[in-house]
Amino acid sequence: MLEVIRQARPSHLLVAADGPEDDSRCQETRRLILAGIDWPCTVETLFSPTRQGCKKAVSSALDWAFERHAELIILEDDCLPDLSFFSFCDEMLKLYRDVPEIMQICGSNLTGFQAADENYFFSRFGPIWGWASWRRAWQAYDVNMSCWPEFRKAGRLKKICTEPFEASWRKQVFDAVHQGRVDTWDYQWAFAKLVQGGLSIVPACNLVSNLGFGADSTHTSNPNDPRAALPTESMASPLVHPSRRAACVQADQHYLRTVVGLPAVVCSIAAVRHMIRSLLRP
């Protein structure tokens, strides 16, 4: 990953790492990363002296980073980007800087879905294996999901998720995260976007490959997972932009089927009506 970052040559680089500080592997990893930054660059670090775990370490690092910068391109250690990922994110950050409903720019396209001849599409889902965002969007993030019980009680999830399978899946996940049964930070980000009616930008080609699948992984332990080590492509330029700023219903249904696991035969009447309205909307 660092070699690709070196090719991109950012003028400012933030490096955050979980602990423990006295672990020789942690010390060596930190040393190698800092030694590898050999181009003119302002470097800021956040190295935890203790092991915090995925939830606290990543969320606090992102809080720290967004306090310092209004826009960020974010990569975790097991994500290998194509060089064009950086220019794509940079262009999207500028183009949608003042569009509040756009909350995330994704580097991963996990399904291979493409929308006509456009270079990206909008989605209600947003993989975080290489992504970018703005401070204005991150301000909606709450690692503890404090408003989830009220949100669930009010039935808002069913109103937003017209497909019952999706609503049931999200409810199970959000319950587990809110109750502390899952040590992670990213489902809270998905919840924040859902509450805000936020959209993610997804590239038509996969720009980031997750190499972190295996027995020693925190969450992605299956090396045969179809999402593991997906090949990357370079983004074409100049970009062809979507004609409408709305979630691509076909792409989201495809994501539900291929990534989440929605059975092909499950399709509610409400979802069909929603799809028709979306297609007819100017």
Side-chain angles (χ1 to χ4, degrees):
M1 177 181 73
L2 187 57
E3 177 55 37
V4 183
I5 294 176
R6 181 182 289 110
Q7 294 177 53
R9 298 177 70 83
S11 60
H12 212 121
L13 191 63
L14 284 73
V15 183
D18 199 5
E21 192 175 58
D22 58 357
D23 187 311
S24 60
R25 295 171 300 175
C26 287
Q27 292 179 348
E28 180 64 6
T29 299
R30 296 173 185 184
R31 186 191 69 79
L32 289 172
I33 290 174
L34 295 180
I37 304 171
D38 55 4
W39 65 94
C41 178
T42 300
V43 180
E44 297 180 73
T45 62
L46 179 68
F47 292 155
S48 175
T50 60
R51 186 184 183 279
Q52 302 180 84
C54 187
K55 174 183 177 180
K56 187 174 181 181
V58 179
S59 64
S60 61
L62 288 167
D63 286 342
W64 165 78
F66 277 114
E67 285 174 0
R68 284 156 176 75
H69 300 275
E71 300 173 353
L72 295 174
I73 297 174
I74 303 143
L75 284 163
E76 294 187 50
D77 60 315
D78 55 4
C79 294
L80 181 64
D82 179 83
L83 184 59
S84 62
F85 163 72
F86 296 99
S87 56
F88 175 70
C89 287
D90 186 57
E91 184 169 345
M92 295 294 96
L93 284 169
K94 293 174 181 175
L95 183 61
Y96 294 103
R97 180 174 289 158
D98 301 316
V99 184
E101 65 266 30
I102 308 302
M103 296 182 67
Q104 180 180 341
I105 302 154
C106 302
S108 299
N109 182 326
L110 302 181
T111 68
F113 182 90
Q114 296 185 5
D117 296 324
E118 298 160 352
N119 289 116
Y120 62 94
F121 55 88
F122 299 104
S123 174
R124 293 187 299 108
F125 300 98
I128 44 79
W129 297 341
W131 59 292
S133 190
W134 304 263
R135 180 190 293 151
R136 59 149 176 90
W138 188 251
Q139 289 173 344
Y141 181 81
D142 173 13
V143 70
N144 297 313
M145 291 177 58
S146 305
C147 70
W148 166 240
E150 181 181 348
F151 187 92
R152 180 185 57 190
K153 184 177 180 180
R156 293 182 61 189
L157 191 61
K158 292 182 179 179
K159 294 177 182 177
I160 294 173
C161 303
T162 57
E163 172 54 65
F165 178 90
E166 179 189 350
S168 176
W169 164 65
R170 286 192 186 269
K171 178 181 180 299
Q172 292 181 46
V173 170
F174 293 155
D175 277 344
V177 173
H178 184 261
Q179 293 164 13
R181 290 186 280 118
V182 182
D183 179 27
T184 192
W185 67 273
D186 54 327
Y187 284 126
Q188 297 93 315
W189 175 230
F191 178 64
K193 291 183 292 180
L194 196 72
V195 171
Q196 299 296 320
L199 295 173
S200 296
I201 293 170
V202 180
C205 61
N206 187 51
L207 300 176
V208 179
S209 182
N210 188 331
L211 307 181
F213 284 77
D216 59 348
S217 173
T218 304
H219 296 121
T220 51
S221 57
N222 179 12
N224 298 316
D225 190 302
R227 300 169 298 166
L230 286 174
T232 59
E233 300 178 47
S234 293
M235 176 61 73
S237 182
L239 295 178
V240 178
H241 302 279
S243 56
R244 292 194 306 122
R245 194 184 300 160
C248 178
V249 178
Q250 298 93 328
D252 284 355
Q253 282 288 320
H254 193 53
Y255 188 94
L256 277 170
R257 286 194 300 270
T258 60
V259 177
V260 180
L262 170 70
V265 296
V266 176
C267 193
S268 66
I269 294 175
V272 172
R273 289 173 177 167
H274 178 75
M275 184 182 297
I276 292 173
R277 285 198 299 270
S278 298
L279 291 173
L280 295 177
R281 190 182 300 128

